[in-house]
Amino acid sequence: FLGYGAGATGEQGQGRILAIIAHGQSVDAAAAGEEVEILTDRTPLYGRSGGQVGDTGRIVKREAGDTATDASACEAEVLDTWKPVPELIVAKTRVTSGSLFVGEEVTIQVDSDRRQRIRRNHSATHLLHLALREVLGQHVTQKGSYVGPDKLTFDFSHFSPLTAAELKRVEQLVNSAIRRNAAAVTEECSYDDAQKRGAMALFGEKYGDRVRVLALGESVELCGGTHVTRTGDIGLLKITSETGIAKGIRRIEALTAEAAEDHLAAREAELAAAAETLRTGPLEVSDRVGKLLEELKGRE
């Protein structure tokens, strides 16, 4: 996997096609219009695992001097990437022009904007985990997650719904960690050494003898996913919901960066519209609604 590098370094790489799978069968080539599964010896594409969704992107084959219209050129769209078994990364691919052949060297490009949104959300789950343990107690452990380009969800062990004050404090702690702009520090070590360092492990995940440890400020966890370079890259975290999903298991859903800004802007617009309807200021809406309800109750 070549995708741990920062920026373009981790978002593009060369790979040799080891296998092409069509309808469950190994084939030697794939032509334009076909959807196949591609395995390469190296790839910057992250395979879906550990709660993080798989990357999308492009596979391009061109010889020096080729243009997109040359017969030897080929382009393909990567629709999804997953890991059927550890260390095996498979790209679901639609060939859009030309043909791909087993044994060829190709350029693999990750959808950069989508990858960056996923990185922000994944790093935010680590900061969220640490904040929850600080606010609620050390009994809090991660029980699952979804990390996509659109949002993040974080499942954790806790015995009751969070109060408004607790949610506010968790959000404050995460955003404070974001503003500190700590560098992401990664290292490979033995599983035993990682445990001695106090690194948190993902619930239900199987680890080998060698593991990847990610430190984001005070947060130290075992993680093979892709992450921001510094916590400041996350920009902002906004918790949008907190619910129970099973006995003793809670779920927080949150947004980061532009998605969080859009969410706050939408709420502000709704509040402004309500204030205009009530002919009052945005910060007086609650008081105005309360007085109207009292008047209605008196009339009834």
Side-chain angles (χ1 to χ4, degrees), residues 87-258:
E87 306 306 321
L88 184 64
I89 300 174
V90 180
K92 181 181 179 182
T93 305
R94 180 191 296 122
V95 182
T96 54
S97 66
S99 296
L100 291 173
F101 296 90
V102 172
E104 288 185 316
E105 287 282 335
V106 292
T107 299
I108 305 165
Q109 301 167 342
V110 175
D111 181 331
S112 180
D113 178 66
R114 185 175 181 273
R115 161 72 72 82
Q116 185 59 21
R117 284 181 278 135
I118 293 169
R119 278 176 166 162
R120 291 174 186 142
N121 286 338
H122 200 159
S123 296
T125 64
H126 286 226
L127 301 183
L128 183 59
H129 192 185
L130 182 67
L132 285 165
R133 287 171 64 85
E134 183 170 333
V135 173
L136 304 178
Q138 298 303 299
H139 65 278
V140 170
T141 55
Q142 182 175 350
K143 297 297 183 183
S145 66
Y146 163 82
V147 178
D150 52 336
K151 65 178 182 180
L152 67 93
T153 65
F154 188 82
D155 302 342
F156 59 99
S157 55
H158 190 54
F159 42 79
S160 62
L162 274 67
T163 66
E166 287 171 334
L167 281 172
K168 181 180 179 182
R169 182 59 181 152
V170 168
E171 201 174 79
Q172 286 175 334
L173 287 171
V174 173
N175 284 313
S176 177
I178 290 170
R179 287 191 298 273
R180 282 196 289 273
N181 200 27
V185 180
T186 59
E187 68 169 292
E188 259 197 27
C189 63
S190 71
Y191 181 79
D192 289 342
D193 285 344
Q195 291 293 288
K196 290 174 184 175
R197 285 189 55 189
M200 295 288 293
L202 179 66
F203 173 78
E205 190 80 357
K206 294 181 179 179
Y207 297 98
D209 294 333
R210 302 289 296 176
V211 294
R212 190 166 182 265
V213 179
L214 170 71
L216 288 166
E218 296 177 13
S219 167
V220 182
E221 295 194 25
L222 304 183
C223 188
T226 57
H227 287 272
V228 296
T229 304
R230 306 189 74 92
T231 59
D233 297 341
I234 300 167
L236 171 71
L237 176 121
K238 179 61 187 172
I239 295 173
T240 56
S241 70
E242 190 273 336
T243 55
I245 59 169
K247 187 176 181 180
I249 307 293
R250 311 294 302 174
R251 171 173 291 171
I252 279 179
E253 188 169 308
L255 303 171
T256 62
E258 293 93 340

Side-chain angles (χ1 to χ4, degrees), residues 262-289:
D262 291 344
H263 174 79
L264 291 171
R267 291 182 66 173
E268 278 192 357
E270 283 294 315
L271 183 58
E276 186 176 350
T277 301
L278 294 168
R279 296 179 182 177
T280 188
L283 298 182
E284 285 77 48
V285 165
S286 178
D287 184 56
R288 180 71 176 128
V289 169

Side-chain angles (χ1 to χ4, degrees), residues 30-44:
E34 290 188 279
E35 279 194 15
V36 294
E37 296 165 7
I38 303 286
L39 285 77
T40 53
D41 62 343
R42 292 155 292 155
T43 181

